[in-house]
Amino acid sequence: MRLSTVILPIHRWNEGQKIWHRAEGLGFHAAYTYDHLSWRSFRDEPWFGAVPTLTAAATATERIRLGTLVTSPNFRHPVTLAKELLTVDDISGGRLTVGIGAGGVGFDATAMGQEAWSPKERADRFGEFLPLLDELLTQDATTSEGRYYSAVEARNIPGCVQRPRVPFYVAATGPRGLRLAAEYGQGWVTYGDPRGPAEVPVEQAPAVIEAQLAKLRAACEAQGRDVDELEKVLLQGSTAERPLASLDAFVDWAGRYQELGITELVIHWPVPDSIFESDFAVFERIATEGLNQLG
């Protein structure tokens, strides 16, 4: 099992670079950031762009993997996104992971003046977005015409440092998204029950993930793919569980999900006076000692 962190893009870079550098020093496998235009209770607070943040983080670090968790079609197009991802992969020396999902109904959904898409339209768009992004990142030139997204002689030379392209970690819980994860993903991401994870009792939270993993396994079997080829990533912070309360709490939490088959845990870098507030001394102990205490 691997342990990673997600660093919100809320810091001016003279402070932010210290955090990304510290994440590498603590030994995290990867450091991700959210890819939103604004997000929930942080809407009226500082919030910077994910891709420029990852570009800067690539120059401030040497070993840690970097990534989005997650990007979506809400305000992006595959042609421009592919060019940006290729560039970050190059600057980082092949350390980029692309967490990607269908998007939602938050501020991103309407910030560009459009109506929020229905769940069906989000799924339809993602079903075009992800295959086209895959094609753009694996070919020098791409021409494709879709209902929502098209490319005309779009060039991506010299291609990704990582071959055949940067890895996709697909966030999905529904059948169409899971099929895409099975077909295109090198990893799969969940944060719990998408209908309202914070309302799921603590004792029931692992069962939600177990059921999702069973569906992922079935989707992989339908694609003729071994589910063990995919990383299984759990993002902490959306359930009633409190694994950052103490080192022992983390070890108990991590152990439960390790037994279920989760291969990477992602915990939020502490943000004072927010929903992600936690004791930084405890957080550091978790980063440096937590996985070593798993049986």
Side-chain angles (χ1 to χ4, degrees):
M1 178 174 275
R2 295 165 170 164
L3 182 62
S4 300
T5 188
V6 57
I7 301 169
L8 298 189
I10 59 176
H11 308 279
R12 290 194 180 277
W13 192 242
N14 61 347
E15 291 299 324
Q17 63 181 324
K18 300 173 186 176
I19 295 175
W20 288 83
H21 185 72
R22 181 59 179 150
E24 181 169 72
L26 287 172
F28 283 110
H29 166 68
Y32 302 95
T33 197
Y34 285 177
D35 188 14
H36 294 289
L37 298 174
S38 58
W39 192 75
R40 298 188 184 180
S41 58
F42 295 87
R43 186 181 189 185
D44 295 318
E45 303 293 334
W47 190 276
F48 295 96
V51 172
T53 296
L54 292 174
T55 304
T59 67
T61 58
E62 297 178 353
R63 302 176 305 279
I64 193 170
R65 290 198 64 83
L66 310 167
T68 55
L69 206 65
V70 299
T71 194
S72 79
N74 268 7
F75 58 94
R76 295 203 176 275
H77 189 285
V79 170
T80 52
L81 179 60
K83 186 66 72 175
E84 292 176 347
L85 296 177
L86 180 152
T87 303
V88 178
D89 189 52
D90 180 73
I91 292 170
S92 68
R95 291 185 284 135
L96 179 66
T97 297
V98 183
I100 189 165
V105 295
F107 305 128
D108 296 345
T110 57
M112 296 173 65
Q114 75 272 32
E115 294 292 326
W117 302 327
S118 67
K120 181 181 183 303
E121 185 174 357
R122 289 201 302 272
D124 289 345
R125 286 176 175 271
F126 193 45
E128 275 192 18
F129 191 101
L130 190 61
L132 179 54
L133 186 63
D134 170 74
E135 190 173 351
L136 287 159
L137 289 171
T138 52
Q139 298 185 166
D140 287 348
T142 301
T143 295
S144 177
E145 183 176 351
R147 179 182 178 187
Y148 301 107
Y149 306 104
S150 298
V152 180
E153 289 295 317
R155 297 293 202 272
N156 282 297
I157 300 171
C160 296
V161 173
Q162 300 174 86
R163 294 293 182 171
R165 58 155 168 77
V166 294
F168 290 168
Y169 281 15
V170 182
T173 55
R176 296 175 68 182
L178 288 169
R179 284 197 298 271
L180 290 170
E183 185 173 359
Y184 295 99
Q186 286 65 56
W188 166 77
V189 179
T190 183
Y191 59 82
D193 192 328
R195 296 170 299 178
E199 299 174 6
V200 176
V202 170
E203 63 274 11
Q204 295 179 18
V208 171
I209 305 301
E210 186 174 22
Q212 291 174 351
L213 284 165
K215 293 177 181 178
L216 177 66
R217 188 175 301 108
C220 286
E221 289 174 357
Q223 289 287 338
R225 190 171 181 196
D226 186 348
V227 71
D228 290 338
E229 295 177 10
L230 276 72
E231 297 294 334
K232 292 88 175 173
V233 183
L234 174 60
L235 173 62
Q236 167 267 336
S238 294
T239 72
E241 299 163 300
R242 295 292 177 264
L244 303 187
S246 68
L247 180 60
D248 288 344
F250 171 82
V251 172
D252 289 344
W253 176 76
R256 286 195 296 272
Y257 290 104
Q258 183 182 48
E259 289 179 2
L260 292 180
I262 293 295
T263 60
E264 182 177 343
L265 298 169
V266 184
I267 59 177
H268 284 86
W269 194 273
V271 180
D273 302 317
S274 79
I275 58 173
F276 299 125
E277 183 170 21
S278 61
D279 187 299
F280 192 73
V282 172
F283 181 83
E284 284 190 316
R285 286 198 68 196
I286 288 170
T288 56
E289 303 175 36
L291 293 187
N292 293 334
Q293 295 199 19
L294 293 179

